Amino acid sequence: MKRIFLLFLPFLAASCGQVKQEVSVPEPINVMSFNIRYDNPEDSLDNWKFRKDRAANAIRFYNVDILGTQEVLHNQLEDLKLRLPEYDVIGVGREDGKEKGEYSALWYKKDRFTLIDSGYFWLSETPEVAGSKGWDGACERIASWAKLKDKVSGKEVFALNTHLDHVGVMARREGISLMLNKVNQLSDGLPVIVTGDFNSEPESDVIKHVTDPTDPEHLTDARTASPIVYGPSWSYHDFGKIPYEHRPLIDYVFVRNGLKVLRYGVLAETENAAFLSDHAPVLVTVE
């Protein structure tokens, strides 16, 4: 009997050891790029005051973890802060580096991420100068970025959100080069998420520059990397005024450094024929 018990002990120890092992399962991250349309009093029934609750509810409904927003005026920032208390936000007004002009505001869920570092820069020849306008751009353009530590996995991710110029061809080209360089400098080899309104279609030289596989700094368009693509092939519709077949895709989520894209969608939804914005949000899930 004693011999049988001694033989059994190694199996018991091995079994106990297996019970104590823990398997780390990646927790997906929901990322959204959302041009909310600036608060324009000429928008009539599409004005921000009629859309702000629906816009905030969409963000919460889709359980967005990291959110890049464009065309955000200060009053809109405050409206969203009030409606999205579970988020912290990074960004400043592009005209003075404070509260004047549009923000390219970057939001993250406080219960999911810890902020490690953050900042912003202007898309110009002098990126650290507040309010600087770049090249042939019609407007000041800004990018907001953050290093975030995932409380679930313990890993860090680099996120950046921006909005390229809608007029200046050189401003878009040079702005992209600057952005890619900044991502390379600031990300320290971390997984990268870039959101934004690039005012450029997928076949443009701007987007081809971003995704050029011969460039070691290139990013991958989440749409092309996703096994599931949902929604239309456009993102800008001008509150439905652009004919369906002429609507362009100009809003993007890009990734780099080991992020796996699980799904991609353009949320072209309406409520009683009313849109969330003149752009449809882009939603991507990565791990």
Side-chain angles (χ1 to χ4, degrees):
M1 184 69 181
K2 184 177 180 181
R3 184 180 177 187
I4 294 172
F5 179 73
L6 290 173
L7 288 172
F8 180 68
L9 280 175
F11 293 99
L12 181 63
S15 175
C16 290
Q18 287 175 358
V19 171
K20 290 180 181 178
Q21 289 179 356
E22 294 182 1
V23 178
S24 177
V25 179
E27 182 72 19
I29 299 172
N30 292 325
V31 180
M32 178 182 280
S33 184
F34 189 4
N35 184 321
I36 67 168
R37 171 68 171 179
Y38 74 99
D39 187 0
N40 184 351
E42 297 181 5
D43 282 345
S44 186
L45 293 178
D46 290 317
N47 181 258
W48 173 248
K49 65 184 176 182
F50 301 114
R51 298 185 290 109
K52 56 188 177 183
D53 288 325
R54 282 188 287 117
N57 284 339
I59 293 163
R60 300 185 78 178
F61 177 78
Y62 287 108
N63 194 29
V64 179
D65 297 302
I66 297 175
L67 168 69
T69 53
Q70 303 89 38
E71 292 195 23
V72 186
L73 296 179
H74 187 71
N75 69 294
Q76 293 174 291
L77 186 83
E78 294 301 316
D79 285 339
L80 289 176
K81 279 184 180 180
L82 184 64
R83 288 161 177 78
L84 301 170
E86 64 269 43
Y87 292 83
D88 264 340
V89 61
I90 296 149
V92 293
R94 69 188 186 187
E95 292 182 28
D96 64 354
K98 296 177 183 176
E99 298 179 356
K100 187 178 179 182
E102 296 176 7
Y103 293 64
S104 286
L106 180 63
W107 309 71
Y108 63 92
K109 267 193 175 177
K110 293 184 284 188
D111 65 353
R112 178 71 191 269
F113 296 100
T114 300
L115 180 65
I116 303 299
D117 196 7
S118 66
Y120 36 84
F121 58 88
W122 278 260
L123 303 184
S124 74
E125 296 93 328
T126 53
E128 307 309 321
V129 176
S132 55
K133 192 183 295 185
W135 303 282
D136 59 349
C139 304
E140 304 87 352
R141 298 291 176 178
I142 193 171
S144 305
W145 62 269
K147 285 182 184 176
L148 302 168
K149 185 174 182 178
D150 189 344
K151 295 179 182 179
V152 176
S153 68
K155 297 181 179 180
E156 294 181 19
V157 64
F158 177 86
L160 181 145
N161 177 55
T162 194
H163 188 180
L164 296 187
D165 202 72
H166 64 302
V167 174
V169 174
M170 185 180 293
R172 288 194 293 274
R173 289 175 180 166
E174 295 298 326
I176 280 297
S177 294
L178 173 65
M179 184 204 74
L180 290 174
N181 288 337
K182 286 286 190 180
V183 167
N184 197 48
Q185 293 168 17
L186 296 167
S187 65
D188 293 326
L190 294 174
V192 170
I193 296 168
V194 172
T195 55
D197 175 354
F198 283 68
N199 275 308
S200 307
E201 296 189 59
E203 294 306 312
S204 67
D205 59 348
V206 171
I207 302 304
K208 286 182 177 179
H209 183 182
V210 176
T211 60
D212 180 5
T214 65
D215 183 353
E217 298 179 358
H218 82 280
L219 306 172
T220 298
D221 183 354
R223 184 182 182 92
T224 65
S226 180
I228 301 172
V229 175
Y230 171 79
S233 58
W234 47 261
S235 61
Y236 178 63
H237 51 78
D238 192 18
F239 293 114
K241 296 177 186 138
I242 299 175
Y244 195 92
E245 64 275 13
H246 296 302
R247 296 176 184 180
L249 177 64
I250 58 176
D251 300 272
Y252 297 87
V253 176
F254 296 103
V255 296
R256 193 173 81 187
N257 291 350
L259 282 173
K260 180 181 179 182
V261 180
L262 303 180
R263 61 174 184 157
Y264 168 100
V266 176
L267 309 178
E269 56 198 43
T270 60
E271 181 181 330
N272 293 328
F275 292 92
L276 292 170
S277 174
D278 59 342
H279 290 241
V282 174
L283 180 70
V284 173
T285 301
V286 300
E287 68 177 17

